């Protein structure tokens, strides 16, 4: 598991390191705990939701980017698996961090609207709603409920 990475939040870069119940941002340590879909930092609860390249913290949306996390390993199945290039396409729903697929809310062939929740991913004991980046038809689902996924793994494609 990667414990050090770079996070860019609204254009500002942070060096992030996780050590058990500490998160270290640019050398400053913060006590943290994950509890009931919230992150407690220094005992203060914060509601966090990840969607696409955005993080919503206490109802405020921020654009995020990461560097230094493991590259996704796309899992090949009997059916056609998405290519790594598909992750860059506008219609790909991609895992922002390693985790467990808790629920897939749509089926292949379903119509979806931009912003509609398609997959729920559990990561670090929090459930993250992954939304459709565009409106269209769900053409390909590359994961199953209960499956572990890697960061940047293409979960499904919307055309």
């Amino acid at each position: 598991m990667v414990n050090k990475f770079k996070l860019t939040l609204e254009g500002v870069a942070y060096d992030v390191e996780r050590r058990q119940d500490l998160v270290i941002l640019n050398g400053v340590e913060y006590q943290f705990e994950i509890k009931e879909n919230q992150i407690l930092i220094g005992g203060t609860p914060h509601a966090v939701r990840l969607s696409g390249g955005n993080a919503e913290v206490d109802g405020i949306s921020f654009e995020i980017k990461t560097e230094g996390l493991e590259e996704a390993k796309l899992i090949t199945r009997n059916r056609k698996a998405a290519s790594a290039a598909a992750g860059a396409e506008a219609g790909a729903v991609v895992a922002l961090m390693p985790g467990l697929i808790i629920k897939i809310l749509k089926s292949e062939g379903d119509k979806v609207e931009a912003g509609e929740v398609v997959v729920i991913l559990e990561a670090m004991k929090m459930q993250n709603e992954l939304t459709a980046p565009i409106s269209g038809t769900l053409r390909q689902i590359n994961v199953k409920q209960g499956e572990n996924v890697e960061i940047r793994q293409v979960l499904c494609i919307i055309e």
Side-chain angles (χ1 to χ4, degrees):
M1 177 180 210
V2 175
N3 289 320
K4 285 185 175 184
F5 61 95
K6 186 175 289 287
L7 171 71
T8 303
L9 179 67
E10 294 293 304
V12 178
Y14 297 89
D15 290 318
V16 180
E17 183 177 354
R18 179 180 174 197
R19 289 189 206 148
Q20 296 174 348
D21 62 346
L22 290 178
V23 64
I24 303 157
L25 299 175
N26 292 343
V28 179
E29 293 182 356
Y30 297 91
Q31 199 76 31
F32 89 97
E33 178 183 357
I34 298 170
K35 190 173 187 178
E36 297 178 16
N37 294 333
Q38 291 186 332
I39 296 177
L40 281 76
I41 299 177
T44 304
H46 298 279
V48 178
R49 195 174 108 185
L50 301 175
S51 174
N54 292 310
E56 186 177 295
V57 180
D58 297 331
I60 301 169
S61 185
F62 300 92
E63 181 181 340
I64 62 170
K65 293 180 185 175
T66 60
E67 294 176 40
L69 293 172
E70 295 174 355
E71 287 297 323
K73 296 174 187 169
L74 297 177
I75 298 170
T76 307
R77 293 193 166 56
N78 294 340
R79 54 184 290 187
K80 177 184 169 191
S83 69
E89 293 175 8
V93 176
V94 179
L96 295 174
M97 61 184 70
L100 176 70
I101 300 297
I102 296 297
K103 194 167 194 178
I104 300 170
L105 302 171
K106 298 292 178 179
S107 300
E108 286 184 2
D110 286 355
K111 299 281 185 197
V112 295
E113 296 296 321
E116 188 174 356
V117 178
V118 179
V119 176
I120 298 178
L121 172 74
E122 182 180 79
M124 296 173 50
K125 299 182 184 176
M126 291 187 61
Q127 290 188 7
N128 301 283
E129 296 179 340
L130 304 181
T131 60
I134 62 171
S135 295
T137 303
L138 187 56
R139 291 288 176 216
Q140 185 175 333
I141 299 176
N142 301 317
V143 293
K144 294 180 181 174
Q145 186 172 321
E147 184 176 329
N148 285 306
V149 297
E150 298 291 327
I151 188 167
R152 295 189 194 100
Q153 182 173 335
V154 177
L155 307 178
C156 55
I157 298 175
I158 300 163
E159 294 178 336

